[in-house]
Amino acid sequence: MLKIKNLHARVEGQEILCGLSLEMGSGEVHAIMGPNGSGKSTLASILAGRDTYEITEGSIEFMGVDLLALDATERAVAGVFIAFQYPVEIPGVSNMNFLRTSINSIRDQKGEEPMPAKDFLAKVKQCAKLVELDGKLRDRSVNEGFSGGEKKRNEVFQLAMLEPLLAVLDETDSGLDIDALRIVSSGVNALRSAERSFLIITHYQRLLDHIVPDRVHVLAGGRIVRSGDKSLALELEDKGYDWINEELAQ
Amino acid sequence: MAASEDNPILDEFTRKEYEFGFTTDIESDRVAPGLNEETIRLISEKKEEPKWMLDWRLAAYKIWTEMEEPDWAHVDYEPLDYQKICYYAAPKSKPVLDSLDDVDPELRKTMDKLGISTEEQKRLSNVAVDFVMDSVSVSTSFKGTLAKKGIIFCSMSEAVRDHAALVQKYLGTVVPVKDNFFSALNSAVFTDGSFCYIPKGVKCPMELSTYFRINESGTGQFERTLLIADKGSYVSYLEGCTAPQRDENQLHAAVVEIVALDEAEVKYSTVQNWYPGDENGVGGVYNFVTKRGVCETRAKISWTQVETGSAITWKYPSCILKGDHSVGEFYSVAVTSGAQQADTGTKMIHLGQHTHSTIISKGISAGRSQNSYRGLVRMASSAEQGRNFSQCDSLLMTDTSGAHTFPYIEISNPSAKVEHEATTSRIGEDQMFYCLQRGMTEEQAIGLIVNGYAKEVLNKLPMEFAVEAQKLLAISLEGSVG
Ligand SMILES: Nc1ncnc2c1ncn2[C@@H]1O[C@H](COP(=O)(O)OP(=O)(O)OP(=O)(O)O)[C@@H](O)[C@H]1O
Ligand SMILES: [Mg+2]
């Protein structure tokens, strides 16, 4: 469902991704690990269509279409969702209004009718339960004054509401306490399906104890330098990234 | 973000034609352009006014001829030729109406486009509409319900004839003829407007609403509104306007006077959407308005305005807090885009003891527009324990637009306290991207963010107006991030 080939991207004259390739099948869960500043969030932003990044080479195919030809909105409509590392606050806009606008906009662009209010509320209830989102947070302004963990939980809540085909979780685990990690992970697991794929960016093996990945990739220096099964994450946890750098140097 | 020439979508939206730019084909009965004593006599005669009204107008005209047009506002325009303006136009078909069914089909169509059609009326179900087209009221409803409570809600012309005592007692007491150049002009030539009187202790059971509209090419609109809330009464008054597309500048110099007697409360809400002109501002409405209310003891006046239209706006709804413990409020959202210029704000004049005022102003500037907040808070020496809180926020959508804040504070009583907060921010690229990533279009994202920003003010509008106002904000700013 996702084929990234030899992707090169730069920002402000600096090359951040240099020859990144990655393939994912439908229903698969892949994890991306890698040192700070290696380009993980950049990859997420590029998948989402942020125009601050200049793609100089390579291609991205999503569900058989050229993703790079679509703008950010079209990609979201096509089913790309990013749970952001740093979710932004939108003062004065209630979470509910935000989500309703979002869902109905996607439906409208697909030529569908707006979601009836009753269905929407039922869905909100169901999805909030999935991640145990506090009722008060639903009615507050989008992320405004939310704690770090609450923001992350809200991202997964939105994920559940929007039902994307590809969900990129950018360090959704950082900032979550132990209980929250468990709750959010089981929420994500409940959302796994044969059509939906997850790309999980994380620094910690413990998340992968809960959400077991089919593949683990190491992103370093703007490329995938190693891929393996879930045991690779354990190995990284144990040894850090130095050994990969050393192997690469050889 | 990309400049407009790099972005065809943005370009298309900024040059989008004015949504309400249409005209109605109704013959008008108009007076030849120009202003002199004869014009005024003619207006007065056409309106079958009593002599005292004519004398009042003539006195105002004399004062006006001795005044000069103000130039202190942060706006820039070609001088107006007052001799080229037509001062009176009345729709020729002027039926006396009992119900909306009797309204001229052409007018009905206009009302449909304006969103005040029968459907709208149904939606507003509880609203009495006094529809002002050009200068004469053509449709009034819910009169019966109001009459039972002793509420008078009619056109100014009717009031001059039928409620002379009230008009004579209050007209020009809040905004004196010589207050400013435009109030003097209005006093001399005003053609119509609304009059409202709420008797002692009566809570008006419905929102009173007036839709204004300029329809006659080159016709100045000089509305005159007088609203009197007697002791202990309450009224919520809505005023909304939108104008058809024109190539000539159209002057709109309205005067609104509110009298809130002891313990009365008046909410006055405005949505202003006059034609702003083309992308260079050509043909837009000049909106030079004087709005003021006076509060007696424990009375309260709230002004809420959503200003999106006009080429130039010059407007400062104000409160004179004369009585002890009286309260004044001003909530404003002013949006400018293209080449629009707005200089708007309020004056809170604290005279009584323990008088309180609140000012919340949200400016949004896009395109090459200029958006200024100008506000005065005056604590007179008699304003023992007076309090004011002011918050003025500006949101810039483009690098080429301007936001300016001119707060004037005068304190003559040491026990009075005035707080002023001001912020200026750019619309967040991160916020935009977040919305787009969730599948919203650029216009929806802007609409959502801007409505969130202006929420404090929009929340003050009556429900049915708030929904329209939200749509209006989004429409006014479509594709204007740059
Ligand atoms: N808009 C930008 N302008 C300049 N530099 C940028 C920009 N975006 C990313 N970078 C740089 O690109 C590099 C990769 O950043 P990115 O956020 O993708 O890292 P990351 O792998 O997500 O790191 P972390 O693990 O800390 O979240 C960093 O050096 C960062 O400073
Ligand atoms: Mg990151």
Side-chain angles (χ1 to χ4, degrees):
Chain A
M1 64 120 54
L2 182 69
K3 277 197 196 109
I4 306 175
K5 274 197 204 136
N6 188 32
L7 191 66
H8 289 253
R10 52 200 306 148
V11 63
E12 288 167 13
Q14 190 197 339
E15 188 149 69
I16 314 269
L17 298 183
C18 28
L20 185 143
S21 296
L22 181 72
E23 273 195 43
M24 283 176 79
S26 282
E28 290 180 0
V29 174
H30 289 216
I32 291 193
M33 304 180 82
N36 292 133
S38 57
K40 302 183 297 297
S41 295
T42 301
L43 175 62
S45 295
I46 288 170
L47 285 172
R50 187 146 200 171
D51 57 11
T52 30
Y53 300 93
E54 189 198 345
I55 314 292
T56 51
E57 219 183 311
S59 64
I60 305 178
E61 193 188 301
F62 175 69
M63 304 301 291
V65 300
D66 175 9
L67 198 68
L68 296 176
L70 306 181
D71 66 24
T73 304
E74 291 164 338
R75 293 185 199 195
V77 173
V80 175
F81 179 94
I82 315 290
F84 289 99
Q85 184 174 4
Y86 305 108
V88 301
E89 305 188 355
I90 309 180
V93 178
S94 80
N95 241 339
M96 288 304 88
N97 187 17
F98 179 81
L99 269 173
R100 215 185 47 223
T101 309
S102 179
I103 284 179
N104 286 335
S105 172
I106 291 173
R107 290 172 80 108
D108 182 52
Q109 290 169 78
K110 286 182 174 169
E112 297 167 10
E113 291 294 305
M115 188 182 273
K118 204 169 111 261
D119 298 359
F120 177 76
L121 289 174
K123 196 167 168 102
V124 163
K125 219 167 161 185
Q126 180 206 333
C127 296
K129 203 168 151 203
L130 196 70
V131 292
E132 295 182 25
L133 187 82
D134 194 317
K136 274 178 274 175
L137 295 183
R138 283 186 249 158
D139 302 322
R140 288 212 337 231
S141 294
V142 180
N143 293 320
E144 199 185 24
F146 284 27
S147 75
E150 286 168 347
K151 283 183 185 169
K152 297 302 179 69
R153 212 184 272 228
N154 195 31
E155 292 291 287
V156 180
F157 168 62
Q158 292 183 14
L159 193 172
M161 289 292 294
L162 296 179
E163 301 179 331
L165 291 171
L166 172 67
V168 180
L169 274 62
D170 192 355
E171 296 197 27
T172 301
D173 54 334
S174 15
L176 292 179
D177 66 37
I178 298 158
D179 289 338
L181 182 72
R182 193 174 36 74
I183 294 161
V184 168
S185 309
S186 66
V188 169
N189 283 328
L191 293 168
R192 286 178 73 161
S193 75
E195 295 82 43
R196 185 170 300 134
S197 309
F198 288 85
L199 187 59
I200 296 178
I201 298 169
T202 183
H203 286 295
Y204 306 106
Q205 151 63 25
R206 58 163 197 223
L207 176 70
L208 306 179
D209 284 341
H210 295 284
I211 308 170
V212 182
D214 298 305
R215 298 289 288 165
V216 175
H217 310 276
V218 178
L219 174 53
R223 282 182 302 141
I224 302 291
V225 294
R226 181 160 302 234
S227 299
D229 62 13
K230 62 185 186 212
S231 62
L232 178 59
L234 288 166
E235 204 175 346
L236 289 170
E237 178 98 331
D238 201 31
K239 302 200 242 172
Y241 293 110
D242 283 352
W243 64 279
I244 292 183
N245 290 333
E246 278 162 27
E247 275 191 25
L248 283 176
Q250 282 165 17
Chain B
M1 282 204 184
S4 74
E5 58 264 32
D6 302 336
N7 189 337
I9 302 167
L10 194 152
D11 220 39
E12 188 188 312
F13 272 108
T14 28
R15 282 195 278 101
K16 198 167 120 89
E17 276 183 64
Y18 180 64
E19 291 260 324
F20 296 127
F22 51 85
T23 56
T24 316
D25 281 332
I26 287 182
E27 277 180 84
S28 268
D29 172 12
R30 61 197 328 231
V31 161
L35 184 54
N36 50 47
E37 284 203 6
E38 265 324 293
T39 323
I40 292 164
R41 281 179 201 283
L42 209 64
I43 292 172
S44 193
E45 194 182 310
K46 280 200 180 282
K47 303 184 80 59
E48 299 162 28
E49 286 178 351
K51 183 164 185 304
W52 62 264
M53 195 69 253
L54 173 63
D55 292 344
W56 199 81
R57 288 177 180 278
L58 290 173
Y61 173 68
K62 193 162 180 299
I63 290 170
W64 180 72
T65 54
E66 286 155 13
M67 292 177 94
E68 280 192 31
E69 199 165 339
D71 63 357
W72 45 262
H74 194 87
V75 294
D76 190 22
Y77 61 95
E78 290 284 309
L80 287 167
D81 184 346
Y82 293 91
Q83 295 308 334
K84 282 203 174 141
I85 294 170
C86 165
Y87 289 87
Y88 182 82
K92 261 192 180 153
S93 52
K94 209 172 79 179
V96 179
L97 301 166
D98 299 320
S99 90
L100 277 168
D101 297 338
D102 302 337
V103 175
D104 184 317
E106 274 293 315
L107 279 185
R108 283 300 288 277
K109 249 194 263 167
T110 305
M111 292 204 271
D112 273 336
K113 285 194 201 164
L114 282 170
I116 50 169
S117 57
T118 20
E119 297 93 72
E120 175 83 351
Q121 299 260 352
K122 271 182 214 148
R123 193 169 70 74
L124 300 176
S125 62
N126 209 27
V127 178
V129 174
D130 178 16
F131 183 74
V132 178
M133 173 141 190
D134 267 358
S135 316
V136 174
S137 305
V138 290
S139 153
T140 356
S141 52
F142 294 100
K143 277 223 162 125
T145 324
L146 297 175
K148 264 185 224 142
K149 297 234 167 209
I151 295 169
I152 304 168
F153 180 43
C154 62
S155 71
M156 199 63 183
S157 320
E158 264 178 272
V160 167
R161 290 190 298 264
D162 304 343
H163 309 283
L166 280 169
V167 176
Q168 263 186 300
K169 183 169 175 191
Y170 291 108
L171 190 71
T173 57
V174 186
V175 178
V177 170
K178 59 175 181 299
D179 187 80
N180 66 70
F181 184 80
F182 299 110
S183 67
L185 178 63
N186 176 290
S187 302
V189 302
F190 75 85
T191 40
D192 216 333
S194 297
F195 174 84
C196 176
Y197 171 78
I198 316 289
K200 261 180 211 151
V202 170
K203 311 273 176 237
C204 183
M206 59 183 76
E207 316 269 358
L208 296 184
S209 150
T210 308
Y211 286 82
F212 294 98
R213 182 164 157 77
I214 299 176
N215 192 54
E216 190 67 12
S217 176
T219 314
Q221 270 249 309
F222 302 94
E223 297 293 340
R224 185 90 194 187
T225 300
L226 177 58
L227 209 160
I228 303 150
D230 211 327
K231 291 178 183 170
S233 67
Y234 168 84
V235 65
S236 170
Y237 189 93
L238 318 181
E239 167 204 79
C241 49
T242 166
Q245 191 151 352
R246 286 294 168 206
D247 352 318
E248 284 168 67
N249 281 302
Q250 293 173 301
L251 176 63
H252 181 74
V255 171
V256 175
E257 296 179 280
I258 300 178
V259 179
L261 297 178
D262 293 358
E263 298 184 15
E265 182 177 348
V266 178
K267 277 184 73 156
Y268 194 105
S269 313
T270 306
V271 172
Q272 187 268 116
N273 186 25
W274 299 112
Y275 178 53
D278 64 13
E279 66 236 71
N280 297 313
V282 174
V285 167
Y286 288 6
N287 193 28
F288 301 149
V289 184
T290 308
K291 290 183 166 176
R292 193 178 302 153
V294 61
C295 287
E296 298 292 345
T297 305
R298 290 186 198 278
K300 177 178 175 181
I301 293 177
S302 291
W303 297 102
T304 304
Q305 60 173 25
V306 175
E307 301 279 321
T308 61
S310 298
I312 301 172
T313 300
W314 179 100
K315 177 179 174 186
Y316 316 91
S318 307
C319 296
I320 299 169
L321 303 174
K322 187 173 156 215
D324 293 348
H325 298 276
S326 60
V327 176
E329 293 175 340
F330 174 74
Y331 300 100
S332 168
V333 182
V335 179
T336 52
S337 61
Q340 281 178 289
Q341 307 175 60
D343 193 299
T344 183
T346 183
K347 291 182 205 165
M348 292 291 174
I349 312 295
H350 292 248
L351 302 175
Q353 298 183 7
H354 299 277
T355 46
H356 286 202
S357 63
T358 305
I359 299 171
I360 308 283
S361 162
K362 305 268 181 180
I364 302 167
S365 344
R368 295 171 286 126
S369 69
Q370 296 294 326
N371 200 327
S372 306
Y373 167 81
R374 187 183 304 276
L376 166 69
V377 177
R378 177 184 295 151
M379 296 285 177
S381 55
S382 52
E384 199 69 30
Q385 302 292 332
R387 293 283 178 275
N388 163 267
F389 173 74
S390 303
Q391 188 183 322
C392 303
D393 298 327
S394 309
L395 185 66
L396 295 170
M397 312 288 286
T398 55
D399 292 329
T400 46
S401 58
H404 316 272
T405 307
F406 305 99
Y408 305 91
I409 297 170
E410 297 169 13
I411 304 180
S412 311
N413 184 307
S415 72
K417 283 206 183 82
V418 173
E419 267 180 85
H420 180 89
E421 287 175 12
T423 66
T424 301
S425 48
R426 268 298 300 260
I427 187 158
E429 210 191 324
D430 288 345
Q431 291 176 334
M432 281 295 294
F433 183 66
Y434 192 70
C435 294
L436 298 183
Q437 209 301 300
R438 297 305 187 240
M440 290 177 212
T441 60
E442 194 170 311
E443 302 83 71
Q444 283 172 322
I446 292 170
L448 199 76
I449 295 168
V450 164
N451 276 302
Y453 164 79
K455 194 179 177 187
E456 256 177 294
V457 175
L458 298 175
N459 276 350
K460 296 289 170 187
L461 289 171
M463 257 299 262
E464 54 272 35
F465 239 29
V467 176
E468 272 170 46
Q470 280 181 18
K471 284 190 201 141
L472 191 57
L473 282 195
I475 290 171
S476 313
L477 288 165
E478 272 179 5
S480 54
V481 174

